[in-house]
Amino acid sequence: MIQVSERISRLKKQIIDSVPTVSIERARIVTGAYRDYADKPVLIKRALGLKRVLEKMTIYINPGDLLAGNQSESLRCPPVYPENFCAWMADREEMDMMEKRTLNPLKIPESLRGELESMAEYWQGQTLVDKCYDAFSEEVLTARKSLLFSVSLEKNAMGHCVLNYPKLLRLGYSGLKREIEGRMQDAAPEQHDFLTAAAIVCEGVTAFSLRYADLAEQEAATEADPVRKAEMRKLAEVCRKVPAGPAESFHEALQSVYLAHTVNMIETNAYSMSYGRFDQYMYPFYRADIVKGWETDESIQELIDCFWCKTNEVMHVDDSEMVYFHGGHPFGQHLTVGGITRSGEDAVNELSYMCLDAHENVGLYQPDFSVRFHRNTENSFRRRTAEVIRLGYGLPQIFNDEVIIESLEYDGLPEEEARDYTPTGCVEYATPKCWIRAPGGWFNVPKVLELTLHQGRCAITGRQITHVSKPVEEIKSYDELYAIFTDHFRAAVKLHVKWSNLIDDIHAVTMPQPSVSVLTDDCIASGRDVVNGGARYNFTSPLLVGIANIADSLAIIKRLVFQQRKLELKDLVAALDRNFEGDEILHARLLNFPDRYGNDIEFVDAIARDISVLFCDEFAKYTNTRGGKFRAGFWSVTANFNLGSNTSATPDGRRALEPLSDSIAPNAGKDITGLTASFNSAAKLDQRRASSGTVLNRHISPADMVGPGKLDKFINLVEGYFELGGTNLGFNIISRDTLIDAQEHPGNYADLMVKVAGYAAFFTELGKGCQDALIERTEHRI
């Protein structure tokens, strides 16, 4: 058992005790900047606006903290981004709902509401979401409103990237600015705005850091405790040096990365700005400090623990639509350790273990922590990973190097670069040369079956979404049904691509990100912002949702309707349209259909595999507006709740408007033949094709992780899944009884962590629907 320092215990308690409250300060500053710089090009306007925020926003240093950097004026108080979406700011009912909702509640002080309403008047019609919806054609808008697909950065700036922090540590922002100025000398006119904006950002970050240096000096001057006085003096020295200049010590490197990361989050409300391979780029600083005697393992550990705490200070504002996709306030600040090096050697080092220790010490939901395993990972590292997973914090999740590296090579990355990947956000694979528009839209596969069974119409609204096809009374075979389904699938994908590329176009002219671009490879060299294709690799990530629903539904239709002839297709569709009202016997029969995805039954698993291949193949036909490819992902976050809310009843027994299945997991409670069987089913999907990642979460009884040989058995199960071609595993090691009790007595479980999707969250900040879904998952034995 690791002894957690008093400092870290206090910092953690501050976070748990904080009340998430909307912050208006950034919105005030940005609104003023947009007014003052109205005649400037958008790149310059956004850079000047960010610089003004960094010069004027409230800054503070947490009592006892060894690092500086804050997103807003208080812990877990998300800033408002009116330039992205503002409708909620003019809606008192929406504000009341945000405060009272059980899912991601946010306090909105009454004193701010009038100002928010006034600010919304200025922004109305100018926001990112306004411009996106103005650009959508009628057919795209109809499909979007019917939730054939949903939420693809219409309200958020793009994120899901890993920035080049090694370059920052080598050059600092002063060195980056010199590189920018050198590039300006031969820049074409169309590149000048970006390079000017990038230089402004470098100036703004430097000013931001110097403000913390001044603050730390002020606090040192009035501090009575000599230990804390010395800490503040050192922090002042660090902030006066970095991130403006190169880092030379571990403390300087850590502070430089955190402050740069914070600036990138302040610039946009993008999710999933990731820390990357922390144990690799921080290791030279660790070794040098230990050799020189500047730090000890204990002092380094405490710095890492402080960093771990700070990643939990940031949050987002989500309205009543967006909250369905981000249950539990995820931020997607992915940090990964382990794996192999660029040259193919084992990459595990002392920092890899220290990060596992930090996760045990802090036990919160950020960073979105993961480890990379490969076939030669030492068993001691596997075992330590298993020990931390056993704690029940929902993290780390585990990634499979062999398959993922192959997947990235398929995307066009050289082997050496592919080996240097990091998951970003939940599970997307990236390097600092990649710009991924993720989510590139969640694609509702069960909705495609609904269109198939209703001649291209939405069964909920009656709107025509795709083409008119044959009525179900005339469909005579499963092969004919599947052919019609694939026709609607292709039409749906085509609509999805149109929608997605329109959003790309709007981001390019509305929402450039010069701060992010400065640390994304090739943007300075190309003289282009990331949203305009400045990165070397440009991907869009459509995400498949409902694989278990569609596999089980098509299996039932194939077996009961066309093979056994025990049910007429028109009668099944009529029952679905009635939401099984008056059809209780049929409903029970469907719910108890034995051939379910997740039980290693080839009949239904083959359907799941075919659907996943169809998804990858169809999107692979298209190119995004940045010249890159559409690359598939098989994960839902909590989009399965939103998409399910406008999807009619499905033949697997799911009722209308209920959530769809989670990522590539089986339907909740239907994986009844054991953990290994569920692994076998998921591994039959061609996960190499899903280069934007997959999510498979499994729920294991805590009792089964304790005792002789249990951890070894757990490790063997993980290795077995990876050998079959699986790419990602996450685990909830918590009993169903504990979750039920936490739902009934939330006050007793303020720090209870659970794995929701590709991230973890406080169980008590999830809505009841999401909590119920976690409770319904099969609790497996190993």
Side-chain angles (χ1 to χ4, degrees), residues 5 64 76 91 108 170 200 226 342 349 377 403 405 414 489 528 540 559 723 743:
S5 73
R76 301 187 83 219
D91 188 338
I108 306 177
R170 188 172 68 252
I200 292 169
R342 293 173 69 93
N349 58 41
T377 297
V403 177
I405 290 168
F489 198 103
R528 288 184 291 168
T540 299
R559 186 76 85 205
E723 287 175 5
Q743 191 178 59

Side-chain angles (χ1 to χ4, degrees), residues 469-482:
S469 55
K470 185 178 290 189
V472 292
E473 293 84 357
E474 297 179 15
I475 299 174
K476 302 306 180 185
S477 69
Y478 177 80
D479 288 345
E480 185 179 12
L481 173 76
Y482 193 78

Side-chain angles (χ1 to χ4, degrees), residues 96-248:
D96 287 342
M97 186 186 307
M98 290 167 75
E99 190 160 295
K100 295 174 183 177
R101 67 196 183 195
T102 57
L103 180 62
N104 295 14
L106 281 174
K107 182 178 179 181
I108 306 177
E110 186 63 35
S111 60
L112 298 183
R113 296 191 179 197
E115 186 177 357
L116 286 167
E117 289 175 322
S118 176
M119 197 178 291
E121 290 180 14
Y122 169 79
W123 285 102
Q124 194 64 45
Q126 302 183 64
T127 66
L128 173 67
V129 69
D130 290 331
K131 295 184 180 194
C132 283
Y133 273 77
D134 287 345
F136 294 159
S137 64
E138 187 61 35
E139 63 172 354
V140 166
L141 192 59
T142 300
R144 169 67 178 88
K145 288 184 175 180
S146 298
L147 298 187
L148 176 59
F149 36 74
S150 189
V151 177
S152 179
L153 302 170
E154 300 155 337
K155 295 180 179 179
N156 295 86
M158 299 183 194
H160 293 258
C161 57
V162 53
L163 302 182
N164 194 340
Y165 289 127
K167 182 178 181 180
L168 170 68
L169 298 178
R170 188 172 68 252
L171 298 179
Y173 278 97
S174 58
L176 290 167
K177 189 181 178 190
R178 285 193 295 272
E179 181 182 340
I180 293 163
E181 290 169 342
R183 181 67 182 86
M184 276 184 174
Q185 294 176 9
D186 61 353
E190 64 271 15
Q191 298 168 323
H192 193 266
D193 283 351
F194 166 71
L195 293 169
T196 301
I200 292 169
V201 165
C202 294
E203 295 167 3
V205 180
T206 298
F208 193 44
S209 181
L210 292 177
R211 292 181 67 205
Y212 284 107
D214 292 343
L215 178 60
E217 285 179 354
Q218 293 166 16
E219 295 197 4
T222 59
E223 178 60 59
D225 178 15
V227 174
R228 185 60 179 165
K229 182 186 286 285
E231 289 173 352
M232 287 296 92
R233 284 175 174 166
K234 182 176 182 182
L235 183 57
E237 292 174 3
V238 169
C239 289
R240 208 162 290 287
K241 181 176 179 182
V242 297
E248 294 182 272

Side-chain angles (χ1 to χ4, degrees), residues 35 54 77 123 125 156-157 181 195 200 217 228 250 269 291 294 319 336 338 400 419 434 463 493 505 507 575 612 658:
R35 285 183 168 129
L54 298 178
C77 290
W123 285 102
N156 295 86
E181 290 169 342
L195 293 169
I200 292 169
E217 285 179 354
R228 185 60 179 165
F250 189 88
N269 67 340
V291 170
W294 290 0
D319 65 6
T336 193
N400 179 9
R419 287 169 171 167
C434 296
R463 295 191 185 102
V493 167
D505 291 339
H507 273 270
S612 70
E658 289 184 349

Side-chain angles (χ1 to χ4, degrees), residues 298-498:
E298 290 72 24
S299 63
I300 293 282
Q301 185 68 61
E302 193 161 49
L303 280 167
I304 296 173
D305 291 356
C306 284
F307 170 77
W308 230 255
C309 288
K310 289 200 76 65
T311 65
N312 290 274
E313 296 178 9
V314 295
M315 293 181 72
H316 270 297
V317 175
D318 285 323
D319 65 6
S320 56
E321 178 189 38
M322 292 296 293
V323 73
Y324 280 104
F325 297 85
H326 305 126
H329 294 297
F331 216 107
Q333 300 171 88
H334 211 119
L335 183 152
T336 193
V337 298
I340 61 175
T341 65
R342 293 173 69 93
S343 59
E345 304 299 319
D346 183 30
V348 173
N349 58 41
E350 293 95 323
L351 284 182
S352 312
Y353 286 93
M354 294 174 88
C355 287
L356 287 165
D357 291 346
H359 195 70
E360 177 171 350
N361 293 345
V362 176
L364 295 175
Y365 63 93
Q366 291 289 321
D368 197 350
F369 182 40
S370 69
V371 298
R372 287 174 44 179
F373 280 4
H374 59 96
R375 62 173 59 95
N376 295 319
T377 297
E378 292 183 0
N379 194 58
S380 59
F381 184 68
R382 295 180 191 267
R383 188 172 184 84
R384 180 60 184 140
T385 298
E387 289 172 351
V388 175
I389 289 172
R390 182 171 61 184
L391 296 170
Y393 298 151
L395 295 170
Q397 52 185 321
I398 313 174
F399 289 84
N400 179 9
D401 271 9
E402 275 76 27
V403 177
I404 292 171
I405 290 168
E406 183 180 332
S407 183
L408 285 166
E409 289 182 271
Y410 175 81
D411 278 342
L413 275 67
E415 182 182 37
E416 184 180 73
E417 188 176 331
R419 287 169 171 167
D420 206 29
Y421 81 91
T422 182
T424 177
C426 288
V427 293
E428 310 91 283
Y429 321 137
T431 75
K433 293 182 174 68
C434 296
W435 182 247
I436 307 170
R437 213 191 59 155
W442 280 282
F443 185 88
N444 187 344
V445 181
K447 191 76 175 179
V448 178
L449 179 59
E450 180 184 311
L451 299 177
T452 302
L453 299 176
H454 294 86
Q455 295 183 276
R457 285 180 291 106
C458 170
I460 306 294
T461 65
R463 295 191 185 102
Q464 193 74 37
I465 308 297
T466 50
H467 55 276
V468 177
S469 55
K470 185 178 290 189
V472 292
E473 293 84 357
E474 297 179 15
I475 299 174
K476 302 306 180 185
S477 69
Y478 177 80
D479 288 345
E480 185 179 12
L481 173 76
Y482 193 78
I484 295 170
F485 171 82
T486 55
D487 285 343
H488 284 289
F489 198 103
R490 293 186 182 101
V493 167
K494 188 174 182 179
L495 285 169
H496 187 120
V497 169
K498 286 181 180 179

Side-chain angles (χ1 to χ4, degrees), residues 30 71 120 135 211 239 287 331 456 466 567 655 748:
V30 166
Q71 179 199 28
R211 292 181 67 205
C239 289
R287 284 305 312 159
F331 216 107
T466 50
L567 181 64
R655 290 188 183 272
N748 298 334

